[in-house]
Amino acid sequence: MRKALWIILGVLILDQTLKIWVKTSFTLGEDLVITDWFILHFTENPGMAFGVEFGGTWGKLLLSVFRIATVVLIFLWLKKLSKRKIPFGGIVAVALILAGALGNIIDSALYGIIFEASTYDHVAQAFPADGGYAPFLFGKVVDMFYFPIFKGYLPEWLGGDYFVFFRPVFNLADAAISTGVGLLILHQKSVFKEEESSTKEEIPPENQNKQP
């Protein structure tokens, strides 16, 4: 569990450091081109991961509450898993998912209070005299990673339209969640098999083979 907490802390520090730097250094929509396929593009996401939006004001509130409840459940699951002899990769997977969810919750919960609004011609400042741009739980998630690995026109037999791959803009927390899910898929047999075995161990041996 201690190693898992260090992973969570490390991801949170990196994620929030990058987000705060982008938020207080870039105007909305500003680009920092590192290579043709690796661009820091500042955008803000009011909804779910990878720029997906969700249901207006009530949708935003429900999403924030759902995220908090999910984080609590994932933490309890991680605590339970840490007491079992499962491959460390399974622990890392859950820790990354938890860290990513926490990183985006911090944005939603606090950024609206801490920062003024970012615009296309103004860089946001922290702790403005007039207050932040949104109340608690209504902040926007900062996104910045843009990887247009391929840009060009499709062949005529595919429509000939201009095509960009990979188009979504995301952040380090999103990447942690995606990596965690990938690792969890790789370790699913050991993680969920152990879960099943633990359940069986709770049943007295003399009752395991009894038919209803």
Side-chain angles (χ1 to χ4, degrees):
M1 188 64 184
R2 186 177 301 171
K3 292 179 180 178
L5 292 176
W6 277 114
I7 292 171
I8 294 168
L9 181 61
V11 171
L12 284 177
I13 290 173
L14 290 174
D15 176 63
Q16 290 301 310
T17 299
L18 181 58
K19 286 175 176 176
I20 292 171
W21 173 66
V22 169
K23 177 71 175 174
T24 58
S25 302
F26 288 51
T27 58
L28 193 63
E30 184 176 350
D31 289 337
L32 175 61
V33 179
I34 299 173
T35 69
D36 288 342
W37 55 269
F38 182 10
I39 300 170
L40 293 181
H41 173 79
F42 175 35
T43 185
E44 290 183 307
N45 168 23
M48 301 174 71
F50 299 105
V52 178
E53 296 188 17
F54 181 73
T57 300
W58 281 105
K60 173 66 175 176
L61 180 60
L62 289 172
L63 178 62
S64 296
V65 173
F66 174 76
R67 280 173 169 165
I68 293 171
T70 300
V71 162
V72 172
L73 291 175
I74 295 174
F75 176 77
L76 293 175
W77 186 36
L78 177 61
K79 192 174 180 180
K80 187 176 180 181
L81 288 175
S82 67
K83 296 178 181 179
R84 299 181 184 153
K85 294 180 179 180
I86 67 171
F88 186 58
I91 298 295
V92 172
V94 180
L96 287 174
I97 294 171
L98 179 57
L102 276 172
N104 286 334
I105 283 175
I106 291 172
D107 294 30
S108 295
L110 301 178
Y111 275 28
I113 299 173
I114 294 173
F115 298 105
E116 60 183 352
S118 296
T119 68
Y120 291 100
D121 56 5
H122 175 72
V123 176
Q125 302 297 314
F127 303 105
D130 296 334
Y133 67 86
F136 181 64
L137 292 180
F138 283 87
K140 297 179 181 179
V141 177
V142 173
D143 292 329
M144 77 292 295
F145 290 130
Y146 178 42
F147 294 151
I149 298 172
F150 171 81
K151 293 186 289 186
Y153 289 92
L154 295 173
E156 290 297 328
W157 58 276
L158 287 176
D161 297 327
Y162 187 74
F163 178 75
V164 178
F165 179 87
F166 177 75
R167 188 180 292 273
V169 182
F170 60 99
N171 58 43
L172 189 61
D174 297 331
I177 293 172
S178 298
T179 303
V181 170
L183 284 173
L184 191 60
I185 292 172
L186 291 176
H187 292 278
Q188 61 177 318
K189 289 185 178 180
S190 58
V191 172
F192 294 109
K193 183 179 179 181
E194 190 71 24
E195 190 87 44
E196 182 181 343
S197 299
S198 177
T199 302
K200 288 182 178 180
E201 289 172 1
E202 295 174 0
I203 303 174
E206 64 273 14
N207 294 334
Q208 288 185 8
N209 296 322
K210 289 184 178 181
Q211 297 296 322

